[in-house]
Amino acid sequence: MDYEFRMKTGFFETKTYDLLVHKGELVFYPNEIDDGLITIPEESILSITLKKKQKSLDIEIQTDEKIYQGLLDNKTDYEKFINQMKENINKKILCEYEGGKQNA
């Protein structure tokens, strides 16, 4: 299953990717031809942080070389996404919830 992901690429700039969660890697397929495919192997992931806010799920993926930040589409089934991440990526995933409510 793929998820619509708006990756932060500049101060007020985002680009849309389809995020696919595969066994041992995350793959970002660009929606625009000019943007490149991004593959993040599990070995290079240092941390994954998910922050549930009012209508979106913020994601931060820290790797050896870069930090990827963005938002999942607000129509996403967050619980399904988190379960898929846990099943396929063998890294600790930190989930933070606004207001202390655990909705995801």
Side-chain angles (χ1 to χ4, degrees):
M1 173 175 231
D2 62 328
Y3 302 93
E4 186 177 312
F5 184 77
R6 296 199 56 82
M7 186 179 297
K8 187 175 180 180
T9 56
F11 193 65
F12 282 111
E13 181 181 275
T14 61
K15 293 189 178 182
T16 304
Y17 289 82
D18 288 329
L19 169 58
L20 278 81
V21 181
H22 295 294
K23 191 70 171 169
E25 69 180 6
L26 301 175
V27 181
F28 294 89
Y29 287 95
N31 285 357
E32 297 177 24
I33 297 171
D34 297 342
D35 300 328
L37 176 75
I38 300 169
T39 301
I40 305 174
E42 182 179 275
E43 308 81 54
S44 69
I45 297 173
L46 300 175
S47 67
I48 299 173
T49 304
L50 308 175
K51 295 178 184 177
K52 177 82 167 81
K53 295 195 175 178
Q54 293 291 331
K55 296 182 180 180
S56 65
L57 185 66
D58 293 349
I59 301 175
E60 180 179 287
I61 302 163
Q62 185 174 359
T63 68
D64 298 327
E65 300 174 4
K66 189 174 180 178
I67 296 175
Y68 299 90
Q69 293 179 304
L71 300 169
L72 278 184
D73 179 47
N74 62 3
K75 297 173 192 147
T76 301
D77 181 342
Y78 301 132
E79 192 170 326
K80 189 174 185 177
F81 172 76
I82 292 168
N83 287 333
Q84 188 173 9
M85 289 283 283
K86 288 178 182 179
E87 290 172 11
N88 291 287
I89 303 297
N90 191 20
K91 295 289 180 173
K92 187 173 184 174
I93 300 171
L94 178 62
C95 296
E96 298 176 3
Y97 302 94
E98 186 175 85
K101 295 180 182 178
Q102 296 189 6
N103 297 327

